[in-house]
PDB file of all heavy atoms in Angstrom:
ATOM      1  N   PRO A 693     116.727  80.711 100.549  1.00 97.00           N
ATOM      2  CA  PRO A 693     117.266  80.787 101.912  1.00 97.00           C
ATOM      3  C   PRO A 693     117.786  79.445 102.411  1.00 97.00           C
ATOM      4  O   PRO A 693     117.462  78.394 101.858  1.00 97.00           O
ATOM      5  CB  PRO A 693     116.052  81.237 102.730  1.00 97.00           C
ATOM      6  CG  PRO A 693     114.885  80.682 101.971  1.00 97.00           C
ATOM      7  CD  PRO A 693     115.257  80.786 100.524  1.00 97.00           C
ATOM      8  N   GLY A 694     118.565  79.527 103.484  1.00 97.00           N
ATOM      9  CA  GLY A 694     119.032  78.305 104.125  1.00 97.00           C
ATOM     10  C   GLY A 694     118.017  77.731 105.085  1.00 97.00           C
ATOM     11  O   GLY A 694     118.005  76.538 105.369  1.00 97.00           O
ATOM     12  N   ARG A 695     117.119  78.603 105.596  1.00 98.00           N
ATOM     13  CA  ARG A 695     116.052  78.152 106.489  1.00 98.00           C
ATOM     14  C   ARG A 695     114.947  79.191 106.532  1.00 98.00           C
ATOM     15  O   ARG A 695     115.137  80.332 106.101  1.00 98.00           O
ATOM     16  CB  ARG A 695     116.568  77.873 107.888  1.00 98.00           C
ATOM     17  CG  ARG A 695     117.244  79.020 108.582  1.00 98.00           C
ATOM     18  CD  ARG A 695     117.883  78.534 109.869  1.00 98.00           C
ATOM     19  NE  ARG A 695     118.718  79.527 110.492  1.00 98.00           N
ATOM     20  CZ  ARG A 695     118.488  80.062 111.694  1.00 98.00           C
ATOM     21  NH1 ARG A 695     117.435  79.685 112.389  1.00 98.00           N
ATOM     22  NH2 ARG A 695     119.314  80.947 112.196  1.00 98.00           N
ATOM     23  N   VAL A 696     113.796  78.774 107.061  1.00 98.00           N
ATOM     24  CA  VAL A 696     112.602  79.621 107.101  1.00 98.00           C
ATOM     25  C   VAL A 696     112.114  79.710 108.538  1.00 98.00           C
ATOM     26  O   VAL A 696     112.089  78.713 109.265  1.00 98.00           O
ATOM     27  CB  VAL A 696     111.485  79.043 106.201  1.00 98.00           C
ATOM     28  CG1 VAL A 696     110.221  79.887 106.298  1.00 98.00           C
ATOM     29  CG2 VAL A 696     111.952  78.934 104.756  1.00 98.00           C
ATOM     30  N   ILE A 697     111.727  80.924 108.963  1.00 98.00           N
ATOM     31  CA  ILE A 697     111.100  81.122 110.270  1.00 98.00           C
ATOM     32  C   ILE A 697     109.727  81.724 110.031  1.00 98.00           C
ATOM     33  O   ILE A 697     109.601  82.825 109.484  1.00 98.00           O
ATOM     34  CB  ILE A 697     111.947  82.038 111.178  1.00 98.00           C
ATOM     35  CG1 ILE A 697     113.328  81.410 111.411  1.00 98.00           C
ATOM     36  CG2 ILE A 697     111.232  82.271 112.507  1.00 98.00           C
ATOM     37  CD1 ILE A 697     114.251  82.253 112.268  1.00 98.00           C
ATOM     38  N   PHE A 698     108.684  81.001 110.434  1.00 98.00           N
ATOM     39  CA  PHE A 698     107.313  81.462 110.236  1.00 98.00           C
ATOM     40  C   PHE A 698     106.831  82.270 111.431  1.00 98.00           C
ATOM     41  O   PHE A 698     107.290  82.094 112.560  1.00 98.00           O
ATOM     42  CB  PHE A 698     106.375  80.274 110.025  1.00 98.00           C
ATOM     43  CG  PHE A 698     106.400  79.711 108.632  1.00 98.00           C
ATOM     44  CD1 PHE A 698     106.986  78.477 108.370  1.00 98.00           C
ATOM     45  CD2 PHE A 698     105.833  80.408 107.578  1.00 98.00           C
ATOM     46  CE1 PHE A 698     107.005  77.951 107.095  1.00 98.00           C
ATOM     47  CE2 PHE A 698     105.847  79.890 106.289  1.00 98.00           C
ATOM     48  CZ  PHE A 698     106.428  78.664 106.041  1.00 98.00           C
ATOM     49  N   SER A 699     105.848  83.139 111.171  1.00 97.00           N
ATOM     50  CA  SER A 699     105.298  83.989 112.224  1.00 97.00           C
ATOM     51  C   SER A 699     104.411  83.209 113.183  1.00 97.00           C
ATOM     52  O   SER A 699     104.238  83.620 114.332  1.00 97.00           O
ATOM     53  CB  SER A 699     104.480  85.122 111.592  1.00 97.00           C
ATOM     54  OG  SER A 699     103.404  84.584 110.833  1.00 97.00           O
ATOM     55  N   CYS A 700     103.813  82.119 112.732  1.00 95.00           N
ATOM     56  CA  CYS A 700     102.921  81.350 113.591  1.00 95.00           C
ATOM     57  C   CYS A 700     102.646  79.993 112.948  1.00 95.00           C
ATOM     58  O   CYS A 700     102.994  79.748 111.796  1.00 95.00           O
ATOM     59  CB  CYS A 700     101.610  82.097 113.831  1.00 95.00           C
ATOM     60  SG  CYS A 700     100.708  82.514 112.314  1.00 95.00           S
ATOM     61  N   ASP A 701     102.031  79.109 113.723  1.00 94.00           N
ATOM     62  CA  ASP A 701     101.575  77.824 113.219  1.00 94.00           C
ATOM     63  C   ASP A 701     100.209  77.532 113.826  1.00 94.00           C
ATOM     64  O   ASP A 701      99.588  78.404 114.439  1.00 94.00           O
ATOM     65  CB  ASP A 701     102.592  76.712 113.511  1.00 94.00           C
ATOM     66  CG  ASP A 701     102.866  76.547 115.001  1.00 94.00           C
ATOM     67  OD1 ASP A 701     102.088  77.083 115.829  1.00 94.00           O
ATOM     68  OD2 ASP A 701     103.857  75.891 115.352  1.00 94.00           O
ATOM     69  N   GLU A 702      99.736  76.313 113.683  1.00 90.00           N
ATOM     70  CA  GLU A 702      98.403  75.978 114.193  1.00 90.00           C
ATOM     71  C   GLU A 702      98.302  76.205 115.701  1.00 90.00           C
ATOM     72  O   GLU A 702      97.266  76.628 116.208  1.00 90.00           O
ATOM     73  CB  GLU A 702      98.062  74.526 113.848  1.00 90.00           C
ATOM     74  CG  GLU A 702      97.914  74.244 112.362  1.00 90.00           C
ATOM     75  CD  GLU A 702      96.717  74.939 111.735  1.00 90.00           C
ATOM     76  OE1 GLU A 702      95.787  75.316 112.479  1.00 90.00           O
ATOM     77  OE2 GLU A 702      96.716  75.122 110.503  1.00 90.00           O
ATOM     78  N   SER A 703      99.378  75.940 116.419  1.00 90.00           N
ATOM     79  CA  SER A 703      99.334  76.068 117.878  1.00 90.00           C
ATOM     80  C   SER A 703      99.289  77.521 118.340  1.00 90.00           C
ATOM     81  O   SER A 703      98.865  77.802 119.461  1.00 90.00           O
ATOM     82  CB  SER A 703     100.544  75.365 118.506  1.00 90.00           C
ATOM     83  OG  SER A 703     101.740  76.035 118.171  1.00 90.00           O
ATOM     84  N   SER A 704      99.746  78.444 117.497  1.00 89.00           N
ATOM     85  CA  SER A 704      99.753  79.858 117.893  1.00 89.00           C
ATOM     86  C   SER A 704      98.667  80.658 117.180  1.00 89.00           C
ATOM     87  O   SER A 704      98.684  81.881 117.197  1.00 89.00           O
ATOM     88  CB  SER A 704     101.127  80.478 117.638  1.00 89.00           C
ATOM     89  OG  SER A 704     101.566  80.258 116.319  1.00 89.00           O
ATOM     90  N   ARG A 705      97.727  79.966 116.560  1.00 84.00           N
ATOM     91  CA  ARG A 705      96.602  80.636 115.914  1.00 84.00           C
ATOM     92  C   ARG A 705      95.849  81.494 116.943  1.00 84.00           C
ATOM     93  O   ARG A 705      95.587  81.060 118.074  1.00 84.00           O
ATOM     94  CB  ARG A 705      95.649  79.601 115.328  1.00 84.00           C
ATOM     95  CG  ARG A 705      94.480  80.194 114.543  1.00 84.00           C
ATOM     96  CD  ARG A 705      93.353  79.183 114.404  1.00 84.00           C
ATOM     97  NE  ARG A 705      93.805  77.960 113.777  1.00 84.00           N
ATOM     98  CZ  ARG A 705      93.816  77.747 112.461  1.00 84.00           C
ATOM     99  NH1 ARG A 705      93.411  78.706 111.659  1.00 84.00           N
ATOM    100  NH2 ARG A 705      94.219  76.597 111.966  1.00 84.00           N
ATOM    101  N   GLY A 706      95.520  82.694 116.587  1.00 86.00           N
ATOM    102  CA  GLY A 706      94.750  83.560 117.471  1.00 86.00           C
ATOM    103  C   GLY A 706      95.575  84.453 118.371  1.00 86.00           C
ATOM    104  O   GLY A 706      95.012  85.279 119.101  1.00 86.00           O
ATOM    105  N   LEU A 707      96.906  84.330 118.349  1.00 91.00           N
ATOM    106  CA  LEU A 707      97.737  85.195 119.187  1.00 91.00           C
ATOM    107  C   LEU A 707      97.805  86.618 118.648  1.00 91.00           C
ATOM    108  O   LEU A 707      97.902  87.576 119.406  1.00 91.00           O
ATOM    109  CB  LEU A 707      99.151  84.625 119.303  1.00 91.00           C
ATOM    110  CG  LEU A 707      99.353  83.444 120.248  1.00 91.00           C
ATOM    111  CD1 LEU A 707     100.789  82.945 120.162  1.00 91.00           C
ATOM    112  CD2 LEU A 707      99.018  83.835 121.677  1.00 91.00           C
ATOM    113  N   TYR A 708      97.745  86.746 117.325  1.00 93.00           N
ATOM    114  CA  TYR A 708      97.810  88.077 116.734  1.00 93.00           C
ATOM    115  C   TYR A 708      96.433  88.746 116.815  1.00 93.00           C
ATOM    116  O   TYR A 708      95.402  88.062 116.771  1.00 93.00           O
ATOM    117  CB  TYR A 708      98.263  87.998 115.274  1.00 93.00           C
ATOM    118  CG  TYR A 708      99.689  87.540 115.123  1.00 93.00           C
ATOM    119  CD1 TYR A 708      99.996  86.206 114.893  1.00 93.00           C
ATOM    120  CD2 TYR A 708     100.734  88.444 115.234  1.00 93.00           C
ATOM    121  CE1 TYR A 708     101.313  85.781 114.775  1.00 93.00           C
ATOM    122  CE2 TYR A 708     102.050  88.033 115.109  1.00 93.00           C
ATOM    123  CZ  TYR A 708     102.329  86.702 114.890  1.00 93.00           C
ATOM    124  OH  TYR A 708     103.631  86.284 114.777  1.00 93.00           O
ATOM    125  N   PRO A 709      96.381  90.066 116.942  1.00 92.00           N
ATOM    126  CA  PRO A 709      95.080  90.753 116.943  1.00 92.00           C
ATOM    127  C   PRO A 709      94.295  90.401 115.683  1.00 92.00           C
ATOM    128  O   PRO A 709      94.860  90.303 114.593  1.00 92.00           O
ATOM    129  CB  PRO A 709      95.463  92.232 116.962  1.00 92.00           C
ATOM    130  CG  PRO A 709      96.818  92.268 117.592  1.00 92.00           C
ATOM    131  CD  PRO A 709      97.501  91.013 117.133  1.00 92.00           C
ATOM    132  N   PRO A 710      92.969  90.180 115.804  1.00 91.00           N
ATOM    133  CA  PRO A 710      92.178  89.801 114.630  1.00 91.00           C
ATOM    134  C   PRO A 710      92.055  90.933 113.629  1.00 91.00           C
ATOM    135  O   PRO A 710      92.140  92.108 113.979  1.00 91.00           O
ATOM    136  CB  PRO A 710      90.806  89.445 115.233  1.00 91.00           C
ATOM    137  CG  PRO A 710      90.743  90.230 116.504  1.00 91.00           C
ATOM    138  CD  PRO A 710      92.156  90.279 117.028  1.00 91.00           C
TER     139      PRO A 710
END
Side-chain angles (χ1 to χ4, degrees):
R695 58 188 171 117
V696 177
I697 300 179
F698 280 108
S699 61
C700 58
D701 59 15
E702 294 293 339
S703 67
S704 52
R705 184 199 303 271
L707 283 176
Y708 293 95

